[in-house]
Amino acid sequence: MKLSLLALLTGISCATSALATDPVLGTFKMNVSKCRSSNGILFAGGTIQGVEEEDGSIRMFYERLKTDGSKITLRYTYGRDCVDCPVTGGVAGLTVSRRQVGTRTFETIWKVKGETITKSRNVYSTDLMTLTNTADNVDEHGLTYRTVTVWERQ
């Protein structure tokens, strides 16, 4: 609780100056009514929070609420363009790579032990208030599916 409050306060204080450098800074809440998945599996909610660290890196807090009430919580830190940054809270060997490909567009690749499990495109609205994530995923059985998740800045 103390860490999330500190992260929230830090995110708010950094949001005005740092928003120009990376639109992920701040807190986004999942808009469940606008989300969809080709495999029919959806989440009941979620939050993404980006906080700028003193060294300029960004610390991410990512939480999704499953429909059964359980949570998935991931944390990672990355620089401007990150390659295979370790992720805590997920399966062993989970990494994320992120790179900016446009003014408001980022590509993210999630891997487990070097194998790609998700490739996503994150596009921010022109006012930076909405993030739309379109992801091509591979499940534990090797089947592919697409998800579209919409996040709104809080």
Side-chain angles (χ1 to χ4, degrees):
M1 179 70 176
K2 289 180 184 177
L3 178 60
S4 61
L5 180 59
L6 176 61
L8 175 63
L9 294 175
T10 304
I12 290 171
S13 67
C14 293
T16 304
S17 63
L19 195 56
T21 58
D22 197 320
V24 76
L25 295 175
T27 302
F28 289 83
K29 183 178 178 184
M30 182 187 296
N31 183 333
V32 177
S33 68
K34 294 182 179 180
C35 299
R36 60 186 185 276
S37 175
S38 66
N39 70 354
I41 298 173
L42 294 173
F43 288 90
T47 304
I48 300 173
Q49 185 175 59
V51 178
E52 187 171 30
E53 300 291 330
E54 286 184 19
D55 65 0
S57 64
I58 296 178
R59 178 99 172 131
M60 294 298 302
F61 301 91
Y62 175 89
E63 183 174 271
R64 284 195 175 188
L65 179 62
K66 293 182 174 183
T67 54
D68 66 4
S70 62
K71 292 181 183 179
I72 298 171
T73 303
L74 305 174
R75 290 184 170 80
Y76 55 96
T77 301
Y78 63 86
R80 178 49 100 188
D81 285 324
C82 112
V83 177
D84 295 334
C85 298
V87 177
T88 59
V91 296
L94 182 63
T95 62
V96 62
S97 297
R98 179 181 186 266
R99 69 184 183 108
Q100 189 166 1
V101 295
T103 306
R104 301 178 335 267
T105 306
F106 294 80
E107 290 180 346
T108 308
I109 298 174
W110 295 83
K111 297 178 184 177
V112 174
K113 297 179 183 174
E115 299 268 337
T116 299
I117 59 167
T118 299
K119 289 183 182 180
S120 66
R121 187 169 188 85
N122 302 295
V123 179
Y124 293 85
S125 61
T126 54
D127 64 1
L128 302 178
M129 295 302 290
T130 304
L131 164 61
T132 302
N133 172 275
T134 303
D136 293 312
N137 309 279
V138 179
D139 70 13
E140 63 274 7
H141 306 293
L143 301 174
T144 60
Y145 64 98
R146 176 169 277 191
T147 57
V148 177
T149 311
V150 178
W151 305 85
E152 296 174 347
R153 187 177 299 280
Q154 300 300 294

